[in-house]
Amino acid sequence: MCTDPAVVGEHCNLEGEDEVTTDGIISIVLVVIAALTAIYLFVALLDPERF
């Protein structure tokens, strides 16, 4: 994040800004797991005999 008042409103390139972090990967994995769980529960709600 660029906090220099002289460049407010302009794009500020910082080293490492475009890198994928471990926290980002973990967040994506958790969101995918939550989405799959929600879909599974929705299908189970619609067709309980299947489960």
Side-chain angles (χ1 to χ4, degrees):
M1 185 172 155
C2 188
T3 57
D4 185 9
V7 291
V8 171
E10 297 178 18
H11 182 68
C12 186
N13 289 327
L14 299 175
E15 289 184 30
E17 185 177 301
D18 294 332
E19 293 179 8
V20 177
T21 62
T22 305
D23 289 339
I25 293 171
I26 291 171
S27 297
I28 291 170
V29 169
L30 290 175
V31 167
V32 169
I33 290 171
L36 291 174
T37 302
I39 292 169
Y40 175 81
L41 291 173
F42 184 70
V43 170
L45 180 66
L46 294 178
D47 191 10
E49 297 92 22
R50 193 173 188 188
F51 297 91

